[in-house]
Amino acid sequence: SLLQLKLWNKYRVSNIPSLIFIDASSGKVVCRNGLLVIRDDPEGLEFPWGPKPFSEVVAGPLLRNNGQTLDSSALEGSHVGVYFSAHWCPPCRSLTRVLVESYRKIKEAGQKFEILFVSADRSEDSFKQYFSEMPWVAVPYADEARRSRLNRLYGIQGIPTLIVLDPKGDVITRQGRVEVLNDVECREFPWHPKPVLELTDSNAVQLNEGPCLVLFVDSEDDGESEAAKQLIQPIAEKIIAKYKAKEEEA
């Protein structure tokens, strides 16, 4: 029915089963990853399962690949990329290669940036092998509870996923993977979402994320695409502002 379709669209359900908790009084999503919640917290001790701040969920020791540990408080004051990835997944491995270069460029430009690897590897050994290629920090593989809480916090449904946070721990973009591949020189870092994008192979994945408007233009050469951008930009900005005022994802 139409109502069912509206609910699927409203909550961006892309696979089933899906369990989403909402606050009945405001209608706001409390938690997208309900299935992980009931698996991890069968006794309901953490009810009502609302989003916690990143600093609270990540709290604890982090690793460097030389075996050094540091406290998660070391991330404070930096932009942070939370990187959900695994060695068994080929798109993850190819993203990691690009990301290592991006990380180097951003650090060399004097920006405060750190990446936190949250592994979905199938064993401690494969985690160690994969992490040995990474110049950033990771949640210890043995700390399954913390890895799972981070997956829950961001409603991770597939890998590789790179979530970019501002220094306060708020999400700038969930599309870090697309941004890194689209902006190899990292000129747009920290990749605040743009209201209008030119459609490319690497950002087309966003067409699956929710309703999109695609405008086809005749020709690049006679300024058509620039005119099209100027036409859509104010409309897109208005829509984004409207959702921002409601504190919802646009």
Side-chain angles (χ1 to χ4, degrees):
S1 75
L2 190 61
L3 176 61
Q4 284 169 318
L5 196 59
K6 274 186 172 165
L7 286 169
W8 277 69
N9 285 339
K10 180 174 173 62
Y11 297 115
R12 300 184 180 186
V13 175
S14 56
N15 49 6
I16 54 172
S18 233
L19 176 60
I20 295 170
F21 295 113
I22 58 173
D23 175 346
S25 57
S26 66
K28 284 206 175 106
V29 172
V30 174
C31 170
R32 287 193 169 279
N33 258 7
L35 294 169
L36 275 183
V37 167
I38 55 177
R39 189 198 74 188
D40 290 353
D41 184 22
E43 307 288 309
L45 302 177
E46 292 179 39
F47 182 81
W49 303 306
K52 295 184 166 70
F54 169 69
S55 57
E56 189 181 315
V57 177
V58 79
L62 303 176
L63 292 179
R64 290 206 175 277
N65 65 14
N66 60 5
Q68 267 185 318
T69 63
L70 66 163
D71 190 73
S72 58
S73 59
L75 300 174
E76 284 165 21
S78 294
H79 284 85
V80 176
V82 190
Y83 184 36
F84 298 86
S85 187
H87 190 260
W88 52 262
C89 148
C92 291
R93 292 200 300 276
S94 54
L95 179 61
T96 297
R97 285 193 290 274
V98 179
L99 199 50
V100 167
E101 285 304 300
S102 303
Y103 178 76
R104 193 176 51 74
K105 284 175 187 156
I106 293 165
K107 301 279 267 194
E108 280 174 2
Q111 303 262 20
K112 293 190 81 176
F113 181 49
E114 196 46 75
I115 293 177
L116 174 67
F117 172 40
V118 183
S119 166
D121 288 292
R122 293 178 176 144
S123 72
E124 174 99 38
D125 283 346
S126 85
F127 161 75
K128 279 185 178 149
Q129 184 195 342
Y130 194 28
F131 188 39
S132 70
E133 303 163 19
M134 300 178 182
W136 44 74
V137 298
V139 176
Y141 185 78
D143 196 342
E144 205 174 321
R146 194 162 28 140
R147 289 191 289 124
S148 186
R149 281 199 298 274
L150 284 158
N151 272 279
R152 261 163 48 196
L153 178 62
Y154 297 115
I156 301 302
Q157 295 194 339
I159 55 172
T161 294
L162 178 67
I163 310 256
V164 182
L165 309 178
D166 69 14
K168 295 205 301 280
D170 296 329
V171 174
I172 292 177
T173 178
R174 300 176 59 86
Q175 297 292 341
R177 175 193 184 182
V178 171
E179 298 292 355
V180 163
L181 295 175
N182 263 351
D183 178 25
V184 179
E185 292 305 314
C186 307
R187 290 198 182 98
E188 308 279 333
F189 176 82
W191 302 302
H192 287 279
K194 293 192 185 71
V196 179
L197 290 173
E198 208 150 302
L199 193 58
T200 63
D201 284 354
S202 54
N203 66 28
V205 59
Q206 287 170 259
L207 296 173
N208 299 323
E209 301 271 314
C212 295
L213 170 70
V214 181
L215 180 60
F216 293 94
V217 293
D218 273 347
S219 149
E220 194 72 27
D221 317 328
D222 42 18
E224 288 259 335
S225 58
E226 202 38 56
K229 227 178 239 177
Q230 285 171 9
L231 177 72
I232 301 184
Q233 187 87 14
I235 302 168
E237 283 171 358
K238 206 159 137 188
I239 292 170
I240 287 170
K242 181 180 112 182
Y243 281 92
K244 202 167 186 175
K246 291 198 279 187
E247 291 181 14
E248 286 179 18
E249 277 188 62

